[in-house]
Amino acid sequence: MVGAHTACYGTATSTTIFPPLLCCSRSSRRRRQLWISFHGHPPTHPPTSTGPFLLRRARRHLEQTHSYPGHHLAMFAQFVRRFASLFGAVTRTGDRARILPAQMTICSCEETINEFEMLTRDAGRVQQDTLKRILEANADAEYLRQFGLDGRTDAQSYKSCIPLCVHSDVEPFIQRVVDGDSAPVLTGKPITSLSLSSGTTQGKPKFLPFNDELLENTLQIFRTSYAFRNREYPIGEGKALQFVYGSKQSLTPGGILATTATTNLYRSQRYKEGMKDIQSQGCSPDEVIFGPDFNQSLYCHLLCGLIYSDEVHFVFSTFAHSLVHAFQTLEEIWEDLCADIRDGVLSERITVPSIRGAVSKILKPNPELADSIHNKCAGLSNWYGVIPALWPKAKYVYGIMTGSMEPYLKKLRHYAGHLPLIGADYGASEGWVGSNIDPTVPPEQVTYAVLPQTGYFEFIPLEKPTGEETENSAAIHYIESEPVGLTEVEVGKIYEVVLTTFAGLYRYRLGDVVKIARFHNSTPELQFICRRSLVLSINIDKNTEKDLQLAVEEAAKLLEGEKLEIVDFTSYVEKSSNPGRYVIFWELSSEATDDVLSGCANALDLAFLDAGYMGSRKIKTIGPLELRVLRKGTFREILLHFLTLGGAVSQFKTPRFVSPGNGKVLQILNRNVTKSYFSTAYGL
């Protein structure tokens, strides 16, 4: 068992490190049995210090006997936490020792922060060792052997042999895994699970490899950001109101489990243990998370959150969109929730037997709580501050709030009232990049410190050609240079992220554009700028997701006087006519006048500041922008379509650009158009 766990972390420690760890208490029969199974003989070392000194004792033993660099000690600390979660820790009260329950974490937040500081002080060395561990573990992988790497593990050989790649380059190898090929195709060990990307852009999810190392990296990222959050906003024992949702789990033709990356986490017992360690247990039972009906799961998430309202310390969902959607739903169903709590009987709308049975076990008649919730909801002004009103011990709202999630921040702040919004960590279905170590900054300014032990990172320098440095443009016709290493990036410059992971992706272009904000010790802190692939383009014009967002924000100012809000938006390039034109789809909170919407169409057109777009509009090689207004509920219909593809709500992102290949989403949009307005900003 120990061997399996150390292999998971890739540590190179010998068995002599374990005496101070395993002999902490002669009264621990389980530790004695573990020692015998590992060494083949009973322990001969005397008992040593226990409890809070356990990790430091083990570290000191390593330093004295092996002189390992600090990052190896930090990786060993991960093992100690893993050991503690399985077998419990030992503490001393007076002269008596006792075993703590396994769910209690052995390391404090400060211990985790100290480990992070140690790793990031020597990030270059950690990166070298991380690449070596990845390549040693996967030396037999066919993908690596085809390029003649021949077992070499140094960065220079790796970069000279292995080319940069995108998903289409590795898709044939992943497809072999999907079909059941058990040979070492991408990794040394067989891949037993696959993750599905969100698929919200192209309309088709991508298969990606998932393994235990990726799970451990997830926990390390979460543990690090939690430690920094807890230092600023300390929470005690309690619960998190989590709007998380599993997705369909299916077997590929080759018998490999395939589901979303979030579901791969939620179904893992190891993940659940890790969440307990950082006080992130949810209010809802698993049956709600993995329920087959999203609307019923959401109803019960809200209900369970209200039942445990006095224990909730923070509110979380993967994306800001899910949080806004949850509280918009609360506005509609709050009276039904109060009735359930008052009578102790679950609404008849919950028809899934597993969900109904699990929630009914925790739902008891509580007229006093129901009256309190009713009075608070009835007393709110346009639902401002509903989160702190109903969950008075909540200290913050947490989730991914950058990129395509930024448009939801205004509404989320409305619901959160005085509570801070904290941006969650930076990762993708392919792998993790960094942790938010400064939770006090607003989400729009959040940066992510790269954890150098979670993967091998490269960055492609991106420079805008002369004349395209317009302040508000995120134009993508960049000039690329050769990739540089993690510690070689420069503050203030823009890069595309390249990942090498423990799960079988090598020099994989993530497609994200980031800016280097600063360094923390020797690791960079990244600011997410945009996705490179989300582009509005007809000829020489290039506008990204960020450009679209800025344009929508500018035009939305005309709605403020009418007390209207944009519920959601997306875009499309109409090329069936000549010249082609941009089409922007809006769903509004209520109806607006024709004059206002005509003005919005003009404002959108003028807000795209890309030189190629402005020049093309002036000479009429791009036609007038079209604003199409949608019926209420259109984007909810798109969400439900996404769920039918096997996606999870917690992974859903509204596609900001709909490609021609995403025909079903285009059908949904076009059949829900109620009005259309063409810009006259550049003349008729």
Side-chain angles (χ1 to χ4, degrees):
M1 183 176 289
V2 172
H5 299 153
T6 53
C8 182
Y9 289 105
T11 52
T13 53
S14 85
T15 58
T16 58
I17 67 173
F18 292 106
L21 176 63
L22 297 179
C23 294
C24 293
S25 171
R26 283 181 292 183
S27 65
S28 175
R29 183 174 301 172
R30 296 173 75 187
R31 287 178 177 75
R32 181 179 178 87
Q33 290 172 344
L34 178 61
W35 174 278
I36 294 172
S37 67
F38 189 85
H39 291 277
H41 60 79
T44 57
H45 298 267
T48 59
S49 303
T50 58
F53 304 101
L54 178 61
L55 179 58
R56 278 177 286 181
R57 178 75 179 191
R59 274 188 176 155
R60 190 160 57 250
H61 187 83
L62 268 178
E63 291 169 337
Q64 292 170 351
T65 57
H66 296 279
S67 300
Y68 283 153
H71 56 279
H72 280 175
L73 302 182
M75 286 186 286
F76 174 69
Q78 295 181 29
F79 168 81
V80 174
R81 276 193 304 273
R82 171 74 165 169
F83 179 90
S85 70
L86 290 169
F87 299 101
V90 182
T91 187
R92 185 177 297 279
T93 304
D95 294 327
R96 299 186 63 187
R98 63 186 180 89
I99 300 176
L100 297 177
Q103 67 266 23
M104 295 188 70
T105 181
I106 191 171
C107 296
S108 68
C109 289
E110 288 305 315
E111 191 78 51
T112 299
I113 292 172
N114 290 339
E115 292 167 19
F116 168 79
E117 298 291 349
M118 188 186 336
L119 287 162
T120 56
R121 276 195 291 269
D122 198 9
R125 175 69 179 273
V126 177
Q127 279 283 276
Q128 294 175 26
D129 285 354
T130 300
L131 178 62
K132 182 179 180 181
R133 290 192 292 127
I134 291 172
L135 297 181
E136 284 179 345
N138 302 307
D140 294 332
E142 184 179 324
Y143 183 86
L144 294 176
R145 286 192 287 110
Q146 73 171 342
F147 295 112
L149 190 58
D150 297 329
R152 287 171 288 175
T153 60
D154 62 287
Q156 183 176 350
S157 298
Y158 178 63
K159 293 177 182 179
S160 64
C161 291
I162 309 301
L164 296 171
C165 72
V166 294
H167 189 268
S168 59
D169 297 318
V170 297
E171 192 169 16
F173 295 87
I174 296 175
Q175 188 60 47
R176 287 172 55 187
V177 176
V178 170
D179 294 336
D181 192 338
S182 60
V185 180
L186 287 168
T187 57
K189 296 178 183 178
I191 295 172
T192 58
S193 298
L194 291 166
S195 291
L196 290 166
S197 67
S198 63
T200 51
T201 303
Q202 301 298 327
K204 179 183 177 182
K206 298 178 295 187
F207 284 114
L208 294 160
F210 184 90
N211 61 11
D212 288 341
E213 285 80 2
L214 198 54
L215 170 61
E216 292 300 332
N217 284 345
T218 301
L219 291 174
Q220 182 65 26
I221 290 278
F222 286 4
R223 193 159 38 230
T224 300
S225 59
Y226 169 78
F228 282 94
R229 285 200 315 278
N230 205 53
R231 189 162 67 176
E232 296 293 336
Y233 307 103
I235 60 175
E237 292 187 13
K239 297 182 182 292
L241 173 53
Q242 298 189 19
F243 297 98
V244 295
Y245 309 88
S247 65
K248 296 177 183 177
Q249 302 177 48
S250 60
L251 293 178
T252 70
I256 307 298
L257 181 68
T259 186
T260 58
T262 49
T263 304
N264 271 323
L265 294 176
Y266 301 151
R267 68 184 180 87
S268 165
Q269 185 59 38
R270 171 75 183 114
Y271 178 80
K272 295 174 185 177
E273 293 169 359
M275 291 299 97
K276 290 179 183 178
D277 285 350
I278 61 174
Q279 301 294 334
S280 298
Q281 288 178 274
C283 298
S284 304
D286 282 354
E287 290 83 354
V288 173
I289 296 172
F290 293 102
D293 185 292
F294 157 65
N295 291 312
Q296 294 187 42
S297 291
L298 173 55
Y299 184 94
C300 290
H301 274 318
L302 289 166
L303 179 61
C304 293
L306 291 170
I307 291 171
Y308 294 112
S309 57
D310 199 42
E311 300 179 44
V312 169
H313 289 291
F314 68 94
V315 178
F316 166 79
S317 190
T318 308
F319 292 115
H321 167 270
S322 297
L323 290 166
V324 170
H325 182 73
F327 292 107
Q328 286 174 333
T329 302
L330 177 64
E331 291 186 44
E332 301 170 3
I333 64 172
W334 66 277
E335 291 178 301
D336 294 339
L337 294 168
C338 287
D340 289 2
I341 294 172
R342 179 174 289 104
D343 300 333
V345 178
L346 190 56
S347 168
E348 293 183 358
R349 74 175 71 197
I350 308 303
T351 59
V352 176
S354 59
I355 299 179
R356 191 167 187 89
V359 175
S360 294
K361 290 179 181 178
I362 63 175
L363 178 62
K364 309 297 179 186
N366 193 336
E368 183 179 349
L369 176 60
D371 289 343
S372 174
I373 295 169
H374 188 282
N375 293 337
K376 289 176 180 178
C377 289
L380 291 171
S381 175
N382 196 26
W383 294 92
Y384 176 81
V386 61
I387 298 176
L390 296 183
W391 292 277
K393 293 184 179 178
K395 294 192 174 181
Y396 53 83
V397 179
Y398 186 59
I400 294 173
M401 302 179 188
T402 53
S404 61
M405 295 298 117
E406 283 191 30
Y408 304 108
L409 292 184
K410 181 179 179 180
K411 190 66 173 179
L412 188 54
R413 284 194 170 100
H414 181 82
Y415 288 132
H418 68 272
L419 294 181
L421 304 184
I422 301 179
D425 305 307
Y426 175 21
S429 299
E430 291 86 348
W432 287 98
V433 179
S435 289
N436 177 6
I437 62 170
D438 188 358
T440 62
V441 302
E444 296 90 340
Q445 300 172 24
V446 68
T447 60
Y448 308 95
V450 180
L451 270 63
Q453 80 279 25
T454 58
Y456 183 71
F457 300 93
E458 298 173 76
F459 297 85
I460 301 173
L462 304 175
E463 293 190 21
K464 296 178 183 178
T466 303
E468 296 182 9
E469 296 86 355
T470 51
E471 184 177 346
N472 290 332
S473 177
I476 68 142
H477 22 332
Y478 295 108
I479 299 173
E480 297 184 1
S481 304
E482 286 298 309
V484 299
L486 178 69
T487 59
E488 298 169 328
V489 295
E490 298 181 39
V491 172
K493 293 196 173 182
I494 294 174
Y495 300 85
E496 181 186 343
V497 181
V498 177
L499 291 178
T500 294
T501 73
F502 287 92
L505 297 179
Y506 306 100
R507 306 198 78 197
Y508 185 95
R509 297 181 69 148
L510 196 56
D512 288 351
V513 178
V514 299
K515 183 177 182 179
I516 309 303
R518 66 187 68 87
F519 274 84
H520 184 94
N521 294 328
S522 61
T523 199
E525 289 188 43
L526 317 177
Q527 181 181 11
F528 180 86
I529 301 298
C530 64
R531 293 280 295 163
R532 290 193 73 176
S533 59
L534 297 179
V535 182
L536 288 165
S537 179
I538 294 174
N539 44 57
I540 64 170
D541 56 305
K542 305 288 182 182
N543 283 292
T544 66
E545 174 185 7
K546 185 65 174 179
D547 295 314
L548 173 63
Q549 178 186 322
L550 291 169
V552 169
E553 288 175 356
E554 184 65 27
K557 294 176 182 177
L558 299 178
L559 300 174
E560 293 176 358
E562 307 294 317
K563 296 184 178 180
L564 297 174
E565 295 179 349
I566 299 172
V567 174
D568 221 329
F569 65 92
T570 189
S571 64
Y572 175 69
V573 171
E574 178 59 75
K575 293 185 178 180
S576 62
S577 59
N578 188 23
R581 66 183 184 276
Y582 289 6
V583 178
I584 311 299
F585 295 91
W586 278 6
E587 182 181 331
L588 300 176
S589 57
S590 58
E591 291 189 10
T593 66
D594 289 341
D595 287 345
V596 169
L597 291 173
S598 294
C600 288
N602 289 344
L604 282 166
D605 206 2
L606 292 171
F608 286 106
L609 301 179
D610 170 64
Y613 181 79
M614 293 190 294
S616 296
R617 284 290 287 118
K618 288 175 182 177
I619 63 174
K620 296 183 171 33
T621 54
I622 293 180
L625 178 145
E626 181 184 1
L627 172 61
R628 296 180 185 174
V629 180
L630 303 167
R631 291 187 182 90
K632 282 189 178 181
T634 299
F635 283 95
R636 183 171 294 195
E637 187 177 346
I638 292 173
L639 166 61
L640 294 176
H641 162 68
F642 169 76
L643 298 182
T644 65
L645 300 177
V649 176
S650 52
Q651 200 172 14
F652 176 76
K653 302 183 291 291
T654 297
R656 295 299 177 213
F657 169 70
V658 182
S659 68
N662 206 343
K664 181 62 177 178
V665 171
L666 281 174
Q667 288 178 17
I668 295 172
L669 290 168
N670 288 326
R671 72 166 175 254
N672 282 286
V673 174
T674 59
K675 293 181 179 180
S676 178
Y677 302 87
F678 285 87
S679 166
T680 58
Y682 289 86
L684 297 175

